[in-house]
Amino acid sequence: MNFKVPRGTQDILPDVSWKWQRVEKIARSICDVYNYKEIRTPIFEQTELFQRTVGDTTDIVQKEMYTFTDRGDRSMTLRPEGTAPVVRSFVEHKMFGYADQPVKLYYTGPMFRYERQQAGRYRQFVQFGVESIGSADPAIDAEVIELAMNIYKKTGLSDIKLVLNSLGDKESRDAHREALIAHFSPRIEEFCSDCQNRLEKNPLRILDCKVDREHPLMTTAPSLADYLNEESSAYFEKVKNYLNIAGIEYEYDPNLVRGLDYYNHTAFEIMSTSKGFGAITTLCGGGRYNGLAEEIGGPPAPGIGFALSIERLLLALEAEGKSFTDEPSLDVYLVTLGDAAREKGFEILSKLRDNGLRSEMDYMDRKMKAQMKSADRLQANHVIVIGEDEVNENVVQLKNMADGEQKKVAVDELMGELKK
Ligand code: ATP
Ligand code: MG
């Protein structure tokens, strides 16, 4: 038997996992500063939750969901995205009743989409996302966007841009919808079967089609911008004003259509502009979803959020040549020679760790030279050497690897010496 990791998934190996932890730590600490609290929801939900919210005509629901029937004959789906589960939880736990509104939440964890594998596109990938639910203040749109931008900046990325659009409210979208149907209907046979289905159900989706991207009718399609009603335009102006106040630059793209059905008003993406980055340049997508809570049986609760994938963030860092290189090093490596020294070493090791010092010793019964090599590889800041003489005298040889200085230290004074 020869087992392999399933197609479209990957093992995060120990020489890389620390980079993931680094990103998660940065993202969590930024959420903390913005007063967002973590929420953890299950990895699977009722299939209908995604069908209703993400939308029947989207790629996710039509082609990408991992859906299965459980032993109780219920249709379940591995979550393809995080917003619907979070809003489901918001409604179920009546968070709209919390004294402090909006309710500001973040999540991280694996998402599942049955997609064709390519660079930056996996079947299991990890999203970090934020949702602010309960406020329709345009300032919160700017807050959420700023938070997302700050995560990237804190990781060291600089070749990124924010692309912004407004999808308007229902009235604006309905007007635009009619215009789109009128535009595409006469030549709809020239489009793929998905688009033909979308025409009546959700013509906006046609603009997001990956197959018919080059069709001449795509570029001449009626723009949402021309169909925003007064209220929607005013809202969009306020969001832009808050972004200006925060000093966040953006590019307006009237053709930016987000992949999911539930968005309205503000829609945005953060993209990598690095030359080294592949064809997929979107790192993060987000937007406002004012009707979503009602859609799943809750009271009106306007929300906005975003999701980014850690895979693409790390790829973007690599493309910019800014991948993390400062893997945490070891504080102390213990070299022991002989059985008595090993026992003494084990006792000291336990104390070092009690004091929070990242430390290690040899468990392979190797010669001194091989142990020293390990200490080097692990970039130990200090090496402690214990032989028979040291055991008898109750001392150790302590070597500072930065300056090469070595001295004899009594075991009782070791901790004080290391803390200097
Ligand atoms: P795309 O147009 O690339 O398919 P999407 O619109 O499906 O993206 P969203 O649902 O908005 O993506 O998800 C938010 C973010 O999650 C994306 O911007 C991207 O960074 C990431 N993402 C989406 N799908 C994948 C995937 N299959 N593998 C890795 N990351 C992904
Ligand atoms: Mg997609």
Side-chain angles (χ1 to χ4, degrees):
M1 277 280 197
N2 199 345
F3 293 110
K4 289 219 166 105
V5 75
R7 181 190 291 270
T9 69
Q10 58 175 340
D11 297 319
I12 312 300
L13 300 179
D15 59 338
V16 177
S17 57
W18 67 274
K19 299 186 181 186
W20 285 68
Q21 292 175 347
R22 181 75 59 87
V23 170
E24 281 164 17
K25 197 169 164 194
I26 289 171
R28 281 176 193 280
S29 76
I30 288 177
C31 283
D32 186 45
V33 167
Y34 280 79
N35 191 32
Y36 283 72
K37 305 254 159 67
E38 185 176 8
I39 181 166
R40 303 187 187 196
T41 64
I43 276 174
F44 59 90
E45 298 269 355
Q46 288 172 58
T47 301
E48 211 189 327
L49 175 68
F50 300 112
Q51 283 170 339
R52 287 189 66 133
T53 58
V54 175
D56 277 334
T57 57
T58 57
D59 278 355
I60 290 185
V61 171
Q62 285 189 342
K63 305 174 193 160
E64 298 173 358
M65 294 205 304
Y66 278 90
T67 298
F68 62 97
T69 308
D70 74 7
R71 287 168 194 272
D73 233 12
R74 287 170 288 253
S75 181
M76 295 291 166
T77 293
L78 298 184
R79 62 181 183 194
E81 60 99 42
T83 303
V86 168
V87 176
R88 192 263 311 136
S89 182
F90 174 90
V91 170
E92 183 173 347
H93 298 284
K94 302 192 167 53
M95 292 186 212
F96 44 82
Y98 285 8
D100 283 310
Q101 300 286 330
V103 176
K104 307 208 298 184
L105 306 165
Y106 76 86
Y107 60 86
T108 187
M111 303 293 160
F112 305 85
R113 297 183 192 178
Y114 194 82
E115 305 205 61
R116 263 202 310 155
Q117 186 185 5
Q118 60 189 102
R121 201 179 283 292
Y122 297 89
R123 289 183 178 173
Q124 175 174 336
F125 57 102
V126 175
Q127 281 190 339
F128 192 99
V130 152
E131 314 291 350
S132 169
I133 313 170
S135 166
D137 184 340
I140 203 86
D141 299 45
E143 172 178 295
V144 164
I145 291 171
E146 181 185 62
L147 191 164
M149 292 295 280
N150 274 341
I151 291 178
Y152 290 111
K153 283 187 201 146
K154 268 272 158 63
T155 62
L157 274 180
S158 55
D159 300 348
I160 52 169
K161 68 171 180 190
L162 168 66
V163 183
L164 190 67
N165 190 21
S166 170
L167 305 176
D169 60 7
K170 189 165 184 317
E171 188 186 272
S172 312
R173 284 181 70 155
D174 284 348
H176 182 232
R177 186 194 137 88
E178 291 313 313
L180 284 172
I181 295 176
H183 177 76
F184 286 113
S185 310
R187 292 174 66 182
I188 195 66
E189 320 78 57
E190 296 167 29
F191 286 76
C192 72
S193 59
D194 281 343
C195 281
Q196 296 184 12
N197 281 327
R198 287 166 182 145
L199 183 69
E200 288 300 328
K201 284 192 193 151
N202 192 351
L204 192 65
R205 292 257 61 76
I206 297 176
L207 299 179
D208 208 20
C209 181
K210 306 216 159 83
V211 181
D212 295 314
R213 193 177 267 163
E214 306 297 330
H215 195 285
L217 282 191
M218 288 295 206
T219 44
T220 55
S223 169
L224 248 169
D226 300 326
Y227 292 85
L228 291 186
N229 59 17
E230 218 169 288
E231 222 183 308
S232 298
S233 297
Y235 190 87
F236 193 34
E237 288 309 313
K238 285 182 193 155
V239 173
K240 289 189 281 188
N241 182 44
Y242 279 112
L243 288 173
N244 290 336
I245 291 171
I248 295 170
E249 285 176 35
Y250 56 85
E251 191 180 295
Y252 170 55
D253 178 359
N255 292 322
L256 174 74
V257 183
R258 302 277 312 123
L260 319 179
D261 263 8
Y262 49 62
Y263 286 113
N264 43 46
H265 289 291
T266 313
F268 67 96
E269 287 188 352
I270 298 171
M271 306 181 126
S272 170
T273 55
S274 175
K275 285 202 188 67
F277 209 59
I280 304 169
T281 53
T282 303
L283 303 179
C284 169
R288 190 163 262 290
Y289 45 82
N290 288 352
L292 186 53
E294 284 164 284
E295 184 71 35
I296 57 179
I304 179 162
F306 72 79
L308 60 85
S309 81
I310 299 188
E311 288 84 357
R312 287 192 198 172
L313 191 161
L314 290 171
L315 282 173
L317 275 174
E318 261 172 51
E320 280 192 31
K322 292 193 181 134
S323 199
F324 305 124
T325 50
D326 52 334
E327 184 172 3
S329 55
L330 211 58
D331 293 313
V332 182
Y333 191 91
L334 263 139
V335 174
T336 60
L337 306 161
D339 287 345
R342 167 177 298 232
E343 280 183 17
K344 191 77 204 168
F346 197 73
E347 187 189 327
I348 293 174
L349 187 64
S350 157
K351 278 215 192 80
L352 293 171
R353 290 171 171 171
D354 244 3
N355 279 272
L357 292 170
R358 195 177 288 120
S359 38
E360 183 61 291
M361 70 182 260
D362 172 66
Y363 294 108
M364 303 303 288
D365 200 20
R366 291 174 305 172
K367 302 239 154 55
M368 168 126 176
K369 205 169 155 193
Q371 294 190 40
M372 288 304 288
K373 266 199 185 144
S374 279
D376 255 0
R377 259 198 310 277
L378 296 167
Q379 295 175 38
N381 298 318
H382 288 90
V383 172
I384 289 173
V385 181
I386 311 172
E388 222 168 294
D389 292 347
E390 283 77 16
V391 175
N392 292 335
E393 287 179 52
N394 205 27
V395 297
V396 301
Q397 302 291 341
L398 178 66
K399 186 171 180 183
N400 183 334
M401 299 307 273
D403 55 16
E405 196 189 309
Q406 185 169 326
K407 57 184 164 189
K408 204 192 263 186
V409 179
V411 170
D412 292 342
E413 285 157 21
L414 180 61
M415 222 51 73
E417 191 64 35
L418 281 168
K419 282 189 177 148
K420 270 195 214 160

